[in-house]
Amino acid sequence: FFLILIFSFLYSFYCLSFVTSWAGKIMAELKAKGNKCYAAGDYLQAIEWYTKAIDANPNEHTFYSNRSAAYFALNKFEESVDDARQCVRIAPKWIKGYYRTALSMKELLLFEEAEEILLKGLTVEPNNRDLKDLLTNVRRELSEMQTKAGRGADGKPLSPAAA
């Protein structure tokens, strides 16, 4: 009886390992197809492949990150932010998620939110040059936007009645 129990356990472990390995290969193939389409500039098809990969494993942060990049390339910044945020939720130590989130927020003119996410990323990796450079850029654009607030199309300050 004991030998049957051990054999049964080992067989189950082997089957589980086989299925896990097979599923991993399928997900890697889906991601690779997405990457190939992305590299060719076929962002819509890349999104389809990354979505299939996400459906197969919704806990893999790189699938969301890659789909975020494809959405960004299509100027679909809201979708890009959503995927980048999911990437950060799944892998909070993976810096690229913070970068992609902030970059898309910047395109949506969400400068304060982009600054906040960049500061969070810098708590994870304080010396990250990409995050620091983007933070400088976001702060500059935020300052310019605040300076332009209350000015007309000609750049002159609006009267209090017009503001």
PDB file of all heavy atoms in Angstrom, residues 123-142:
ATOM      1  N   THR A 123      11.529  54.873  -4.913  1.00  0.00           N
ATOM      2  CA  THR A 123      11.721  54.254  -3.591  1.00  0.00           C
ATOM      3  C   THR A 123      12.184  52.806  -3.747  1.00  0.00           C
ATOM      4  O   THR A 123      12.863  52.277  -2.881  1.00  0.00           O
ATOM      5  CB  THR A 123      10.437  54.290  -2.729  1.00  0.00           C
ATOM      6  OG1 THR A 123       9.424  53.506  -3.339  1.00  0.00           O
ATOM      7  CG2 THR A 123       9.966  55.715  -2.495  1.00  0.00           C
ATOM      8  N   VAL A 124      11.822  52.195  -4.870  1.00  0.00           N
ATOM      9  CA  VAL A 124      12.242  50.822  -5.148  1.00  0.00           C
ATOM     10  C   VAL A 124      13.678  50.800  -5.669  1.00  0.00           C
ATOM     11  O   VAL A 124      14.483  49.976  -5.247  1.00  0.00           O
ATOM     12  CB  VAL A 124      11.299  50.158  -6.178  1.00  0.00           C
ATOM     13  CG1 VAL A 124      11.792  48.775  -6.568  1.00  0.00           C
ATOM     14  CG2 VAL A 124       9.876  50.091  -5.646  1.00  0.00           C
ATOM     15  N   GLU A 125      13.981  51.716  -6.565  1.00  0.00           N
ATOM     16  CA  GLU A 125      15.317  51.787  -7.174  1.00  0.00           C
ATOM     17  C   GLU A 125      15.740  53.261  -7.243  1.00  0.00           C
ATOM     18  O   GLU A 125      15.562  53.923  -8.263  1.00  0.00           O
ATOM     19  CB  GLU A 125      15.281  51.160  -8.568  1.00  0.00           C
ATOM     20  CG  GLU A 125      16.637  50.803  -9.107  1.00  0.00           C
ATOM     21  CD  GLU A 125      16.545  50.041 -10.426  1.00  0.00           C
ATOM     22  OE1 GLU A 125      15.896  48.990 -10.463  1.00  0.00           O
ATOM     23  OE2 GLU A 125      17.155  50.527 -11.401  1.00  0.00           O
ATOM     24  N   PRO A 126      16.315  53.766  -6.147  1.00  0.00           N
ATOM     25  CA  PRO A 126      16.586  55.207  -6.024  1.00  0.00           C
ATOM     26  C   PRO A 126      17.521  55.806  -7.077  1.00  0.00           C
ATOM     27  O   PRO A 126      17.442  56.999  -7.352  1.00  0.00           O
ATOM     28  CB  PRO A 126      17.224  55.332  -4.629  1.00  0.00           C
ATOM     29  CG  PRO A 126      16.808  54.105  -3.899  1.00  0.00           C
ATOM     30  CD  PRO A 126      16.638  53.032  -4.928  1.00  0.00           C
ATOM     31  N   ASN A 127      18.368  55.022  -7.676  1.00  0.00           N
ATOM     32  CA  ASN A 127      19.333  55.573  -8.633  1.00  0.00           C
ATOM     33  C   ASN A 127      18.981  55.284 -10.084  1.00  0.00           C
ATOM     34  O   ASN A 127      19.843  55.415 -10.962  1.00  0.00           O
ATOM     35  CB  ASN A 127      20.734  55.038  -8.317  1.00  0.00           C
ATOM     36  CG  ASN A 127      21.218  55.510  -6.964  1.00  0.00           C
ATOM     37  OD1 ASN A 127      21.047  56.674  -6.607  1.00  0.00           O
ATOM     38  ND2 ASN A 127      21.783  54.610  -6.189  1.00  0.00           N
ATOM     39  N   ASN A 128      17.741  54.922 -10.349  1.00  0.00           N
ATOM     40  CA  ASN A 128      17.357  54.585 -11.713  1.00  0.00           C
ATOM     41  C   ASN A 128      17.361  55.837 -12.578  1.00  0.00           C
ATOM     42  O   ASN A 128      16.578  56.767 -12.374  1.00  0.00           O
ATOM     43  CB  ASN A 128      15.983  53.912 -11.735  1.00  0.00           C
ATOM     44  CG  ASN A 128      15.616  53.439 -13.116  1.00  0.00           C
ATOM     45  OD1 ASN A 128      15.231  54.234 -13.966  1.00  0.00           O
ATOM     46  ND2 ASN A 128      15.747  52.143 -13.338  1.00  0.00           N
ATOM     47  N   ARG A 129      18.234  55.864 -13.562  1.00  0.00           N
ATOM     48  CA  ARG A 129      18.421  57.032 -14.429  1.00  0.00           C
ATOM     49  C   ARG A 129      17.179  57.324 -15.270  1.00  0.00           C
ATOM     50  O   ARG A 129      16.788  58.470 -15.428  1.00  0.00           O
ATOM     51  CB  ARG A 129      19.644  56.818 -15.327  1.00  0.00           C
ATOM     52  CG  ARG A 129      19.927  57.909 -16.334  1.00  0.00           C
ATOM     53  CD  ARG A 129      20.126  59.335 -15.798  1.00  0.00           C
ATOM     54  NE  ARG A 129      20.878  59.446 -14.597  1.00  0.00           N
ATOM     55  CZ  ARG A 129      20.697  60.422 -13.690  1.00  0.00           C
ATOM     56  NH1 ARG A 129      19.815  61.374 -13.872  1.00  0.00           N
ATOM     57  NH2 ARG A 129      21.437  60.465 -12.604  1.00  0.00           N
ATOM     58  N   ASP A 130      16.523  56.287 -15.806  1.00  0.00           N
ATOM     59  CA  ASP A 130      15.333  56.501 -16.632  1.00  0.00           C
ATOM     60  C   ASP A 130      14.210  57.156 -15.829  1.00  0.00           C
ATOM     61  O   ASP A 130      13.555  58.084 -16.310  1.00  0.00           O
ATOM     62  CB  ASP A 130      14.836  55.182 -17.239  1.00  0.00           C
ATOM     63  CG  ASP A 130      15.795  54.625 -18.279  1.00  0.00           C
ATOM     64  OD1 ASP A 130      16.517  55.420 -18.923  1.00  0.00           O
ATOM     65  OD2 ASP A 130      15.822  53.393 -18.447  1.00  0.00           O
ATOM     66  N   LEU A 131      13.989  56.671 -14.616  1.00  0.00           N
ATOM     67  CA  LEU A 131      12.945  57.270 -13.774  1.00  0.00           C
ATOM     68  C   LEU A 131      13.292  58.706 -13.410  1.00  0.00           C
ATOM     69  O   LEU A 131      12.429  59.593 -13.449  1.00  0.00           O
ATOM     70  CB  LEU A 131      12.729  56.454 -12.499  1.00  0.00           C
ATOM     71  CG  LEU A 131      12.151  55.043 -12.646  1.00  0.00           C
ATOM     72  CD1 LEU A 131      11.934  54.415 -11.279  1.00  0.00           C
ATOM     73  CD2 LEU A 131      10.862  55.043 -13.436  1.00  0.00           C
ATOM     74  N   LYS A 132      14.554  58.950 -13.081  1.00  0.00           N
ATOM     75  CA  LYS A 132      14.975  60.311 -12.720  1.00  0.00           C
ATOM     76  C   LYS A 132      14.829  61.272 -13.897  1.00  0.00           C
ATOM     77  O   LYS A 132      14.357  62.400 -13.737  1.00  0.00           O
ATOM     78  CB  LYS A 132      16.424  60.313 -12.222  1.00  0.00           C
ATOM     79  CG  LYS A 132      16.589  59.746 -10.834  1.00  0.00           C
ATOM     80  CD  LYS A 132      18.048  59.830 -10.404  1.00  0.00           C
ATOM     81  CE  LYS A 132      18.221  59.430  -8.967  1.00  0.00           C
ATOM     82  NZ  LYS A 132      19.598  59.631  -8.515  1.00  0.00           N
ATOM     83  N   ASP A 133      15.227  60.826 -15.077  1.00  0.00           N
ATOM     84  CA  ASP A 133      15.109  61.676 -16.266  1.00  0.00           C
ATOM     85  C   ASP A 133      13.647  61.988 -16.589  1.00  0.00           C
ATOM     86  O   ASP A 133      13.294  63.130 -16.904  1.00  0.00           O
ATOM     87  CB  ASP A 133      15.773  61.020 -17.482  1.00  0.00           C
ATOM     88  CG  ASP A 133      17.289  60.977 -17.374  1.00  0.00           C
ATOM     89  OD1 ASP A 133      17.856  61.665 -16.502  1.00  0.00           O
ATOM     90  OD2 ASP A 133      17.907  60.241 -18.177  1.00  0.00           O
ATOM     91  N   LEU A 134      12.806  60.971 -16.508  1.00  0.00           N
ATOM     92  CA  LEU A 134      11.384  61.196 -16.778  1.00  0.00           C
ATOM     93  C   LEU A 134      10.771  62.103 -15.714  1.00  0.00           C
ATOM     94  O   LEU A 134       9.952  62.970 -16.031  1.00  0.00           O
ATOM     95  CB  LEU A 134      10.631  59.861 -16.859  1.00  0.00           C
ATOM     96  CG  LEU A 134       9.155  59.945 -17.244  1.00  0.00           C
ATOM     97  CD1 LEU A 134       8.947  60.691 -18.563  1.00  0.00           C
ATOM     98  CD2 LEU A 134       8.553  58.541 -17.325  1.00  0.00           C
ATOM     99  N   LEU A 135      11.184  61.948 -14.475  1.00  0.00           N
ATOM    100  CA  LEU A 135      10.690  62.814 -13.394  1.00  0.00           C
ATOM    101  C   LEU A 135      11.063  64.270 -13.664  1.00  0.00           C
ATOM    102  O   LEU A 135      10.230  65.173 -13.510  1.00  0.00           O
ATOM    103  CB  LEU A 135      11.237  62.362 -12.040  1.00  0.00           C
ATOM    104  CG  LEU A 135      10.794  63.176 -10.821  1.00  0.00           C
ATOM    105  CD1 LEU A 135       9.273  63.146 -10.662  1.00  0.00           C
ATOM    106  CD2 LEU A 135      11.479  62.642  -9.563  1.00  0.00           C
ATOM    107  N   THR A 136      12.276  64.513 -14.088  1.00  0.00           N
ATOM    108  CA  THR A 136      12.712  65.872 -14.433  1.00  0.00           C
ATOM    109  C   THR A 136      11.849  66.432 -15.560  1.00  0.00           C
ATOM    110  O   THR A 136      11.381  67.572 -15.498  1.00  0.00           O
ATOM    111  CB  THR A 136      14.196  65.871 -14.853  1.00  0.00           C
ATOM    112  OG1 THR A 136      14.983  65.414 -13.747  1.00  0.00           O
ATOM    113  CG2 THR A 136      14.661  67.251 -15.273  1.00  0.00           C
ATOM    114  N   ASN A 137      11.605  65.626 -16.568  1.00  0.00           N
ATOM    115  CA  ASN A 137      10.793  66.037 -17.708  1.00  0.00           C
ATOM    116  C   ASN A 137       9.352  66.328 -17.280  1.00  0.00           C
ATOM    117  O   ASN A 137       8.764  67.341 -17.684  1.00  0.00           O
ATOM    118  CB  ASN A 137      10.834  64.938 -18.775  1.00  0.00           C
ATOM    119  CG  ASN A 137      10.147  65.340 -20.049  1.00  0.00           C
ATOM    120  OD1 ASN A 137       8.923  65.441 -20.090  1.00  0.00           O
ATOM    121  ND2 ASN A 137      10.931  65.554 -21.086  1.00  0.00           N
ATOM    122  N   VAL A 138       8.777  65.461 -16.468  1.00  0.00           N
ATOM    123  CA  VAL A 138       7.401  65.638 -15.994  1.00  0.00           C
ATOM    124  C   VAL A 138       7.296  66.913 -15.158  1.00  0.00           C
ATOM    125  O   VAL A 138       6.355  67.706 -15.328  1.00  0.00           O
ATOM    126  CB  VAL A 138       6.941  64.404 -15.181  1.00  0.00           C
ATOM    127  CG1 VAL A 138       5.707  64.694 -14.343  1.00  0.00           C
ATOM    128  CG2 VAL A 138       6.685  63.228 -16.112  1.00  0.00           C
ATOM    129  N   ARG A 139       8.253  67.124 -14.277  1.00  0.00           N
ATOM    130  CA  ARG A 139       8.216  68.332 -13.435  1.00  0.00           C
ATOM    131  C   ARG A 139       8.357  69.595 -14.269  1.00  0.00           C
ATOM    132  O   ARG A 139       7.702  70.603 -13.992  1.00  0.00           O
ATOM    133  CB  ARG A 139       9.304  68.253 -12.369  1.00  0.00           C
ATOM    134  CG  ARG A 139       8.951  67.289 -11.258  1.00  0.00           C
ATOM    135  CD  ARG A 139      10.024  67.193 -10.213  1.00  0.00           C
ATOM    136  NE  ARG A 139       9.534  66.477  -9.041  1.00  0.00           N
ATOM    137  CZ  ARG A 139      10.320  65.993  -8.091  1.00  0.00           C
ATOM    138  NH1 ARG A 139      11.634  66.160  -8.163  1.00  0.00           N
ATOM    139  NH2 ARG A 139       9.805  65.348  -7.061  1.00  0.00           N
ATOM    140  N   ARG A 140       9.184  69.550 -15.302  1.00  0.00           N
ATOM    141  CA  ARG A 140       9.339  70.713 -16.183  1.00  0.00           C
ATOM    142  C   ARG A 140       8.030  71.009 -16.909  1.00  0.00           C
ATOM    143  O   ARG A 140       7.569  72.152 -16.960  1.00  0.00           O
ATOM    144  CB  ARG A 140      10.476  70.481 -17.178  1.00  0.00           C
ATOM    145  CG  ARG A 140      10.750  71.717 -18.066  1.00  0.00           C
ATOM    146  CD  ARG A 140      11.847  71.495 -19.102  1.00  0.00           C
ATOM    147  NE  ARG A 140      11.416  70.549 -20.117  1.00  0.00           N
ATOM    148  CZ  ARG A 140      11.888  69.312 -20.272  1.00  0.00           C
ATOM    149  NH1 ARG A 140      12.848  68.870 -19.488  1.00  0.00           N
ATOM    150  NH2 ARG A 140      11.432  68.513 -21.213  1.00  0.00           N
ATOM    151  N   GLU A 141       7.413  69.974 -17.455  1.00  0.00           N
ATOM    152  CA  GLU A 141       6.156  70.176 -18.174  1.00  0.00           C
ATOM    153  C   GLU A 141       5.037  70.625 -17.241  1.00  0.00           C
ATOM    154  O   GLU A 141       4.198  71.443 -17.617  1.00  0.00           O
ATOM    155  CB  GLU A 141       5.770  68.912 -18.944  1.00  0.00           C
ATOM    156  CG  GLU A 141       6.707  68.680 -20.121  1.00  0.00           C
ATOM    157  CD  GLU A 141       6.191  67.641 -21.100  1.00  0.00           C
ATOM    158  OE1 GLU A 141       4.964  67.595 -21.316  1.00  0.00           O
ATOM    159  OE2 GLU A 141       7.025  66.905 -21.641  1.00  0.00           O
ATOM    160  N   LEU A 142       5.022  70.113 -16.023  1.00  0.00           N
ATOM    161  CA  LEU A 142       4.027  70.540 -15.041  1.00  0.00           C
ATOM    162  C   LEU A 142       4.213  72.015 -14.713  1.00  0.00           C
ATOM    163  O   LEU A 142       3.252  72.783 -14.680  1.00  0.00           O
ATOM    164  CB  LEU A 142       4.127  69.697 -13.765  1.00  0.00           C
ATOM    165  CG  LEU A 142       3.220  70.102 -12.610  1.00  0.00           C
ATOM    166  CD1 LEU A 142       1.748  70.018 -13.018  1.00  0.00           C
ATOM    167  CD2 LEU A 142       3.494  69.215 -11.397  1.00  0.00           C
TER     168      LEU A 142
END
